[in-house]
Amino acid sequence: MPPKTVIPGDVLEDGGRATLNQMTTATRQEVLGLYRRIFRLARKWQAASGQMEDTIKEKQYMVNEARMLFQKNKNLTDTDLIKQCIDECTARIEIGLHYQIPYPRPIHLPPMGLIPLRGRGLRSQEKLRKLSKPVYLQSHDEVS
């Protein structure tokens, strides 16, 4: 009988819960591949301005941001959250390469620019703003 695939959060035979260490090999390899890709990218990075100081700052930002976010998310067990983090990381890499900036691109929404659902005021505005946040900025406010 082939071994059962363990999904993080599953109840194990001993009564405990599966963790990231027991996650599928494919997902683990994908996460480690993204981590290595970021560090390779940082090593080869050149600032758009061409200034050495800017290049050093941007390289350091990329390395620090990657370490901090990967460390913060290393104990995630929910497969949906892990997938969201993978998607965010991929999007940030692609956007950084495209625009030649390592920093997340800001979104420009006026403070009360979203239409509230049934006039619930500020709480609904905050909820709509959170729902409208692009995938590449999901963890940015939590860290900054």
Side-chain angles (χ1 to χ4, degrees):
M1 183 176 188
K4 179 185 169 200
T5 303
V6 178
I7 298 173
D10 282 352
V11 177
L12 301 175
E13 291 175 6
D14 64 358
R17 294 243 179 227
T19 63
L20 184 62
N21 295 333
Q22 298 153 334
M23 191 172 34
T24 62
T25 305
T27 306
R28 184 174 174 81
Q29 291 303 315
E30 185 177 6
V31 169
L32 292 173
L34 284 171
Y35 193 71
R36 283 190 299 270
R37 183 177 177 197
I38 291 169
F39 279 89
R40 274 190 231 113
L41 185 63
R43 201 171 342 139
K44 298 175 184 177
W45 187 263
Q46 290 294 318
S49 67
Q51 299 293 321
M52 189 57 139
E53 304 87 39
D54 293 342
T55 299
I56 292 170
K57 285 180 189 175
E58 290 178 6
K59 283 182 175 186
Q60 194 61 44
Y61 172 80
M62 292 168 72
V63 168
N64 289 341
E65 185 82 356
R67 281 188 181 138
M68 182 176 39
L69 289 174
F70 276 83
Q71 188 72 24
K72 176 185 149 226
N73 295 323
K74 77 176 185 177
N75 294 321
L76 287 181
T77 56
D78 183 19
T79 53
D80 293 334
L81 284 175
I82 293 170
K83 178 72 174 130
Q84 279 181 339
C85 289
I86 289 171
D87 291 343
E88 178 183 355
C89 182
T90 305
R92 286 181 73 171
I93 289 171
E94 296 303 321
I95 289 170
L97 289 171
H98 179 78
Y99 292 105
Q100 288 296 305
I101 57 169
Y103 311 107
R105 288 180 49 90
I107 54 173
H108 302 288
L109 289 175
M112 297 296 281
L114 299 171
I115 300 171
L117 300 173
R118 293 180 223 113
R120 295 226 169 114
L122 200 51
R123 260 188 302 179
S124 64
Q125 282 288 322
E126 289 176 18
K127 184 177 179 181
L128 287 170
R129 185 175 292 285
K130 186 175 181 180
L131 290 173
S132 68
K133 188 184 287 190
V135 69
Y136 60 88
L137 285 176
Q138 293 299 318
S139 63
H140 189 265
D141 288 340
E142 299 167 8
V143 174
S144 300

